[in-house]
Amino acid sequence: MKKIMSLMICILMLLTGCVDNDKKEKEPIAPVKNTTNIISYISETPLTEEILKDITDAHSVFEYHLDESYKTATIEVWEKNDGWEKIVSTTDPITSQGEIAIVPSQDSYHIYMIASRDEYNITEYKCSDYFRKSMNHNKIQRANPLEEKEIKSGKEIALWKVLGYKEENNNPKASDFNDVDCDYGLKITVTFNNKDIDKN
């Protein structure tokens, strides 16, 4: 009798083990999050602290991770009066990982493309008199809407926006700044490309 009971307990244990294994096999496997071709806003880093150590102005830092197909990045600064007009455009070779720091001051912006402590490029934009006067006398809204964005070759990504209005405007929210219109404005964008710099 004891042998029969022991045999039944063994069979029961085997069956419950099979059921558990079957459940585990049927559970969906969570997809692995892609960590390349992503750009996101981050706080101050040791790298930017080292490069911007003499700069006391507040600044924003963005970190990007790319696969090996990406070759260049283009930084552009746009101003809006009647329509958006491109004021500055610079294209530089890039590494697969780096940071972009935007340092605004009273009359200019400096955009740092940082690959390492010894390897970085600076794009400078000097604010026009029109933009400066518009921003001083009208309702202003500033935004860094970027939390995390997927990078696609040739697709422009807005990193920084300053929007000015002739009258009070309570409609736009920070999350809507990529779509909202304004009377005056400034935006800084980056476009990553899988093509080398055109030397022609």
Side-chain angles (χ1 to χ4, degrees):
M1 187 68 179
K2 286 183 180 177
K3 287 183 179 179
I4 293 172
M5 287 294 290
S6 298
L7 185 61
M8 288 180 69
I9 290 169
C10 287
I11 292 170
L12 187 62
M13 289 174 67
L14 285 170
L15 287 173
T16 54
C18 289
V19 170
D20 286 345
N21 286 336
D22 192 40
K23 280 183 182 176
K24 287 177 185 175
E25 286 176 10
K26 289 182 180 177
E27 286 176 5
I29 298 170
V32 177
K33 187 176 180 182
N34 182 19
T35 57
T36 57
N37 303 336
I38 292 289
I39 184 168
S40 54
Y41 175 79
I42 57 175
S43 59
E44 189 71 52
T45 69
L47 179 57
T48 53
E49 281 180 8
E50 175 67 22
I51 293 170
L52 306 178
K53 59 187 173 185
D54 297 325
I55 296 174
T56 57
D57 295 312
H59 48 273
S60 295
V61 183
F62 306 85
E63 183 179 54
Y64 63 84
H65 298 268
L66 302 167
D67 64 44
E68 293 179 357
S69 67
Y70 285 86
K71 312 291 184 189
T72 61
T74 301
I75 294 288
E76 293 180 337
V77 182
W78 299 74
E79 251 187 41
K80 183 174 184 184
N81 179 358
D82 294 327
W84 286 104
E85 179 185 358
K86 189 191 305 178
I87 307 298
V88 175
S89 180
T90 58
T91 301
D92 292 301
I94 51 171
T95 54
S96 60
Q97 182 175 338
E99 296 174 11
I100 302 171
I102 298 176
V103 184
S105 63
Q106 189 172 1
D107 59 357
S108 67
Y109 284 79
H110 289 83
I111 304 106
Y112 290 71
M113 287 289 299
I114 304 168
S116 68
R117 187 170 58 86
D118 302 312
E119 190 180 347
Y120 58 91
N121 299 306
I122 306 171
T123 299
E124 182 181 8
Y125 158 72
K126 290 189 175 179
C127 303
S128 67
D129 289 338
Y130 176 82
F131 174 77
R132 201 162 44 244
K133 287 175 184 175
S134 298
M135 293 297 104
N136 286 338
H137 298 295
N138 294 283
K139 176 65 179 172
I140 309 300
Q141 293 191 5
R142 293 176 174 83
N144 162 21
L146 188 70
E147 290 182 0
E148 182 175 276
K149 284 258 186 182
E150 182 183 1
I151 295 168
K152 293 182 180 178
S153 182
K155 186 176 180 181
E156 186 179 53
I157 298 171
L159 300 177
W160 178 278
K161 285 196 176 186
V162 181
L163 308 179
Y165 299 91
K166 295 176 182 176
E167 298 176 3
E168 190 75 23
N169 189 337
N170 296 320
N171 276 339
K173 297 177 182 176
S175 59
D176 302 322
F177 269 43
N178 281 324
D179 305 316
V180 77
D181 200 7
C182 60
D183 297 313
Y184 314 102
L186 168 77
K187 66 178 179 178
I188 297 172
T189 67
V190 61
T191 305
F192 295 94
N193 295 289
N194 52 20
K195 297 177 182 177
D196 289 315
I197 295 175
D198 188 0
K199 295 180 181 177
N200 294 332

